[in-house]
């Protein structure tokens, strides 16, 4: 009877909570050291395939984070995500270009922000990602388009001082409203 | 990484959508020790997340984290589920698992293939964590790294 009660209370404790706070810095340091040693040992057995999976999941999480808020930092996010995606899977970018049937020069221009991707390029990227993520983690098919347009919107709204004076001069409202 | 939408299960195995989002100052008043086991007011200066059912305010679980970039690690300081969700009469399954998966996502987002989450449960419940989440044990510390950390993320996205 006592034993059953103990097992139940242990299970409840398991479900109720964990307190992992270190009591002293010395305790934290000692634990950290032995944990790191053990992790480095375990890392030796991590396969290349598992590393690719981790990188792709990381990329998806970063893309989702980026979409959650307006970002005004003059960075080319679409190109950076594309670069990370290709480099996670391929050792040579030219092989990715071949796989999606575009020229390496065109791919390089997109990555280096020398030209905008055409709709067809993003569609190809979408299909390629569907195949790559299929057995790894959920990857929403519209995410590349979302990133691309999110960046366009953020950039446009951030550069109002550049385009607004000229555009405002060209726009009138002649019909009375309200 | 806030407003993550995942799922928990109620007693009839019906799937419920949940949100995981940062704990805000107005939440602190409701985080009583009686219902949430720890003194969460003292943790407010750390990174704190709450799990709620989607579009509801009632907090079903809380986790506090410490990011340790020099070790590519996210350490779970405290984790709890609300009192009505423990034991045999609990209302929802998967609250702790969802919170752990959230910590795993933060770690993978930050540290990629080097990502690690760690915690130190009482020795009496270590085996539960090892069997349920496939954790590794080093001294008194349990941890999840690649590949198991990826499995945890997947599990709570698919469940």
């Amino acid at each position: 009877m006592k034993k059953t009660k103990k097992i139940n209370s242990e299970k409840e404790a398991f479900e109720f909570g964990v307190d992992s706070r270190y009591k002293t810095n010395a305790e934290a340091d000692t634990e950290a050291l032995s944990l790191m040693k053990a992790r480095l040992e375990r890392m030796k057995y991590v396969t290349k395939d598992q590393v690719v999976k981790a990188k792709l999941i990381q990329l998806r999480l970063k893309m989702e984070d980026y979409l959650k808020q307006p970002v005004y930092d003059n960075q080319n996010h679409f190109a950076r995500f594309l670069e990370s995606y290709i480099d996670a899977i391929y050792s040579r970018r030219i092989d990715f270009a071949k796989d999606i049937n575009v020229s390496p020069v065109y791919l390089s221009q997109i990555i280096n922000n020398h030209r905008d991707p055409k709709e067809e390029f993003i569609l190809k990227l979408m299909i390629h990602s569907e195949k790559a993520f299929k057995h790894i983690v959920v990857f929403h098919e519209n995410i590349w388009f979302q990133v691309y347009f999110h960046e366009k919107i953020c950039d446009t709204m951030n550069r109002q001082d550049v385009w607004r004076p000229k555009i405002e001069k060209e726009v009138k409202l002649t019909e009375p409203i309200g | 990484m806030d407003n993550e939408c995942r799922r928990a299960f109620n007693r009839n195995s019906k799937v419920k959508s949940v949100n995981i989002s940062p704990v805000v100052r107005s939440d602190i008043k409701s985080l009583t020790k009686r219902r949430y086991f720890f003194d969460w007011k003292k943790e407010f200066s750390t990174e704190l997340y709450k799990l709620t059912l989607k579009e509801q305010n009632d907090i079903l679980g809380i986790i506090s984290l410490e990011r340790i970039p020099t070790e590519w690690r996210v350490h779970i300081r405290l984790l709890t589920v609300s009192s009505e969700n423990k034991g045999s009469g609990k209302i929802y399954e998967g609250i702790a698992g969802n919170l752990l998966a959230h910590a795993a996502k933060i770690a993978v987002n930050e540290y990629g293939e080097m990502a690690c989450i760690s915690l130190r449960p009482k020795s009496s419940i270590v085996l539960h964590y090892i069997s349920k989440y496939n954790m590794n044990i080093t001294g008194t510390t349990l941890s999840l790294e690649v590949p198991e950390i990826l499995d945890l993320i997947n599990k709570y996205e698919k469940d």
Side-chain angles (χ1 to χ4, degrees):
Chain A
M1 184 68 182
K2 263 188 178 174
K3 201 175 174 184
T4 317
K5 212 172 179 181
K6 195 183 171 196
I7 289 168
N8 282 340
S9 69
E10 280 174 3
K11 278 188 178 169
E12 289 197 0
F14 153 68
E15 287 161 344
F16 199 21
V18 173
D19 184 350
S20 300
R21 290 172 295 187
Y22 296 105
K23 301 231 171 6
T24 62
N25 286 342
E27 185 191 21
D29 291 346
T30 312
E31 293 273 330
L33 201 66
S34 39
L35 176 61
M36 182 55 80
K37 207 173 155 188
R39 282 173 61 198
L40 290 173
E41 193 55 38
R42 287 195 284 269
M43 275 177 202
K44 289 178 189 168
Y45 303 98
V46 174
T47 65
K48 196 181 159 194
D49 190 41
Q50 288 163 343
V51 171
V52 171
K53 282 182 184 174
K55 285 182 176 175
L56 289 178
I57 293 175
Q58 181 184 32
L59 173 68
R60 194 206 75 181
L61 294 170
K62 287 197 179 297
M63 290 169 90
E64 287 173 350
D65 266 4
Y66 171 67
L67 290 173
K68 281 178 192 158
Q69 54 203 353
V71 180
Y72 308 121
D73 58 3
N74 287 325
Q75 293 288 311
N76 191 340
H77 291 274
F78 179 87
R80 293 293 72 76
F81 288 136
L82 173 63
E83 197 175 25
S84 299
Y85 176 69
I86 300 168
D87 293 347
I89 303 171
Y90 293 87
S91 46
R92 296 185 322 154
R93 289 180 187 169
I94 191 172
D95 293 331
F96 173 72
K98 270 186 208 161
D99 278 359
I100 62 163
N101 196 24
V102 298
S103 77
V105 175
Y106 177 71
L107 178 62
S108 171
Q109 285 171 333
I110 292 170
I111 288 173
N112 294 309
N113 204 20
H114 294 152
R115 72 188 293 174
D116 268 355
K118 287 182 182 168
E119 185 184 351
E120 190 183 327
F121 177 86
I122 305 179
L123 290 172
K124 285 178 175 178
L125 185 55
M126 186 172 102
I127 301 294
H128 191 278
S129 303
E130 274 176 18
K131 293 176 194 286
F133 278 91
K134 194 174 179 182
H135 301 292
I136 299 176
V137 73
V138 178
F139 186 82
H140 298 291
E141 59 184 9
N142 54 3
I143 196 163
W144 286 110
F145 272 109
Q146 285 179 321
V147 166
Y148 177 75
F149 287 112
H150 187 69
E151 187 172 333
K152 286 279 168 224
I153 292 166
C154 291
D155 284 354
T156 305
M157 300 319 287
N158 192 37
R159 289 187 304 108
Q160 290 194 49
D161 55 331
V162 177
W163 58 261
R164 184 173 281 277
K166 180 176 178 284
I167 300 296
E168 272 190 346
K169 279 180 199 163
E170 292 175 21
V171 178
K172 279 187 275 189
L173 176 64
T174 53
E175 292 295 319
I177 295 175
Chain B
M1 293 290 294
D2 58 336
N3 297 321
E4 289 298 315
C5 181
R6 301 195 198 93
R7 287 167 287 182
F9 299 90
N10 68 9
R11 263 183 284 203
N12 306 320
S13 297
K14 280 190 180 166
V15 176
K16 295 279 181 180
S17 291
V18 299
N19 274 346
I20 297 177
S21 56
V23 169
V24 292
R25 192 162 288 279
S26 57
D27 292 323
I28 288 291
K29 208 176 171 184
S30 66
L31 299 179
T32 59
K33 203 170 172 182
R34 188 188 173 102
R35 191 173 175 212
Y36 300 100
F37 200 59
F38 301 115
D39 185 354
W40 290 95
K41 291 178 192 79
K42 285 184 181 168
E43 285 292 291
F44 195 63
S45 59
T46 66
E47 195 171 342
L48 273 176
Y49 296 93
K50 62 185 176 186
L51 182 147
T52 56
L53 290 184
K54 204 172 179 190
E55 288 162 14
Q56 290 191 26
N57 295 325
D58 191 34
I59 297 171
L60 307 180
I62 320 166
I63 192 168
S64 69
L65 309 171
E66 181 186 358
R67 299 185 196 214
I68 311 172
T70 51
E71 299 171 37
W72 314 294
R73 174 161 70 109
V74 171
H75 184 64
I76 293 152
R77 290 169 54 85
L78 292 177
L79 183 154
T80 196
V81 301
S82 56
S83 55
E84 72 279 7
N85 285 303
K86 69 162 186 152
S88 51
K90 68 180 152 190
I91 302 167
Y92 294 106
E93 289 274 358
I95 297 170
N98 270 296
L99 289 167
L100 284 173
H102 185 69
K105 277 188 170 185
I106 291 172
V108 172
N109 189 355
E110 288 281 317
Y111 313 123
E113 70 270 32
M114 307 299 284
C116 169
I117 59 168
S118 62
L119 75 164
R120 297 192 313 160
K122 282 181 184 164
S123 55
S124 57
I125 55 171
V126 160
L127 286 179
H128 287 293
Y129 274 84
I130 292 174
S131 63
K132 185 153 187 178
Y133 302 109
N134 209 10
M135 288 186 148
N136 294 305
I137 183 163
T138 311
T140 59
T141 304
L142 295 183
S143 64
L144 271 181
E145 299 106 20
V146 173
E148 293 86 2
I149 196 170
L150 308 178
D151 297 337
L152 181 71
I153 292 172
N154 255 330
K155 178 174 162 51
Y156 284 90
E157 289 204 334
K158 285 177 183 167
D159 271 359

